[in-house]
Amino acid sequence: MFRARTAALVAASLALAACTASGGSPREDEGTSGTRTTSSPSPAARGTTVPGADWDRTDAAAAGFDGAALRALDRRLEADGTSCFVVTRDGEVVHEAYFGDSTADSMGPTFSVTKSFTSLLVGIAADEGLLDLDDRASDYVSEWKGTPAARVTVRDLLANVSGRHWDFVSDYQQLALAARDKTAYAIGLTQDARPGRVWRYNNAAIQTLDEVLTKATGTKPAAYAREKLLDPLTMSRTFWGEDPSGNTTMFSGVNASCLDLARLGLLTMRDGRWGATQVVSEDYMGQATGRSSSPLNAAYGLLWWVNRKGPVLGALTATDPGADRQGGAATRKGGRLAPGAPADAFWALGLGKQVVAVVPSERIVAVRMGAAPQDPDALTPGAFTSDVLAALR
């Protein structure tokens, strides 16, 4: 459990970053190349039916769930500080619950779930030919030209293997709390290692994607997201914040409702397709959510968490940063992030156990938002996903 002082620092830091604003069985492949490495989802999972301004809803039993089991899960989630809990299957809401004064329209900070939004923006820009994942980031970040940072690629930033400077105080206090211009602060940090040598859950490195996307697209990422992602998905209860200098906060800045986060999950479950529109290419989604992006961390795609076998680093950092002051240096050398979940499962994760769980093989998206539970072992990606799947009949 956090020590109180650390918890207060992290919560205050990331809350500010989120809110300072003007605005058969899956088949495994242990490698880090290729597209999604599981058996193809059913036609329903890859289907074209999507929610309009509101979702279609169906009875939990008709969708294959035990309603009593879901209601029992509600009680446990409420006790753990949850504000909203949504389960969808085949693109329809099968269960939703709101606690306290939360409603279907309530928006809350998603914290590092924002990183997964950032991933999709980079994918869209790459699909449009505005950048390439293997471009040197210094093509867009002029301050890095002629420095050791010139070797860093866009892909390195997405995979958290950039080698950019990281320490706990810099990332969670100086960047998140003190820096008024978070992009300039992040760009100005040193290059500590050659790219590809070290995996770190590095907020500052991800913030530099603000400069990359701004230069590549000619517009602020928050505006680009509204045009290319949020409006096409009718995400009317989602707001992407900015720092006091007007930079889009790429590592922790999105506020959203549970139902809007379920839209994000549905898009990614369907390999970037929304109805008749390919919002993000299937190829990019395979790279982001269908495999590990680096042999250093089998559990990480491109700003999404995946369920590959191998060394597992940093998931605790995403939801409880103060519990891992090494930025993901601690590792489990084998297994998966969520051993009880299917191999094709993937997640967007944020501070305080914000979870968007996507299980293509079961055509399920499940979302939990709220306060951090008292028990740091509660609501891990694996536990939350397994609890939802256990309610299947």
Side-chain angles (χ1 to χ4, degrees), residues 8-25:
L9 167 63
V10 173
S13 299
L14 290 190
L16 180 67
C19 299
T20 51
S22 58
S25 301

Side-chain angles (χ1 to χ4, degrees), residues 37-219:
T37 54
T38 60
S39 57
S40 296
S42 73
R46 296 176 58 87
T48 58
T49 301
V50 296
D54 199 3
W55 288 77
D56 289 337
R57 288 167 169 80
T58 192
D59 182 75
F65 283 91
D66 181 336
L70 288 172
R71 290 189 294 275
L73 182 53
D74 287 344
R75 292 190 288 273
R76 298 203 303 275
L77 290 172
E78 182 177 18
D80 281 329
T82 298
S83 59
C84 61
F85 169 48
V86 169
V87 180
T88 76
R89 197 175 200 194
D90 298 329
E92 297 180 325
V93 173
V94 301
H95 183 77
E96 57 187 317
Y98 304 94
F99 308 104
D101 59 0
S102 180
T103 70
D105 289 330
S106 298
M107 295 190 297
T110 71
F111 300 109
S112 285
V113 170
T114 301
K115 295 175 173 69
S116 297
F117 281 82
T118 295
S119 174
L120 298 188
L121 288 197
V122 174
I124 292 168
D127 294 340
E128 293 184 332
L130 302 176
L131 58 78
D132 189 281
L133 300 191
D134 295 314
D135 285 345
R136 291 193 171 194
S138 59
D139 292 346
Y140 311 95
V141 183
S142 59
E143 294 89 338
W144 289 358
K145 291 183 181 295
T147 75
R151 296 175 179 271
V152 175
T153 67
V154 175
R155 188 185 301 276
D156 293 331
L157 295 170
L158 295 168
N160 270 327
V161 296
S162 66
R164 298 290 297 158
H165 177 73
W166 185 93
D167 69 68
F168 185 85
V169 171
S170 173
D171 224 41
Y172 288 104
Q173 183 175 8
Q174 293 173 344
L175 171 72
L177 186 60
R180 293 182 59 81
D181 187 331
K182 300 185 190 306
T183 300
Y185 177 83
I187 288 172
L189 294 173
T190 59
Q191 185 71 27
D192 286 357
R194 288 172 63 95
R197 299 289 180 85
V198 178
W199 192 92
R200 284 286 186 275
Y201 193 74
N202 193 327
N203 289 313
I206 294 162
Q207 181 59 29
T208 67
L209 289 167
D210 171 54
E211 184 77 357
V212 171
L213 280 168
T214 298
K215 292 289 181 61
T217 67
T219 189

Side-chain angles (χ1 to χ4, degrees), residues 369-380:
M369 296 182 70
Q374 291 295 312
D375 179 0
D377 295 325
L379 296 175
T380 63

Side-chain angles (χ1 to χ4, degrees), residues 225-245:
R226 177 58 60 189
E227 176 188 358
K228 302 293 184 177
L229 180 63
L230 306 184
D231 283 350
L233 270 61
T234 323
M235 296 178 74
S236 61
R237 303 300 297 166
T238 300
F239 173 77
W240 201 324
E242 298 177 342
D243 71 11
S245 296

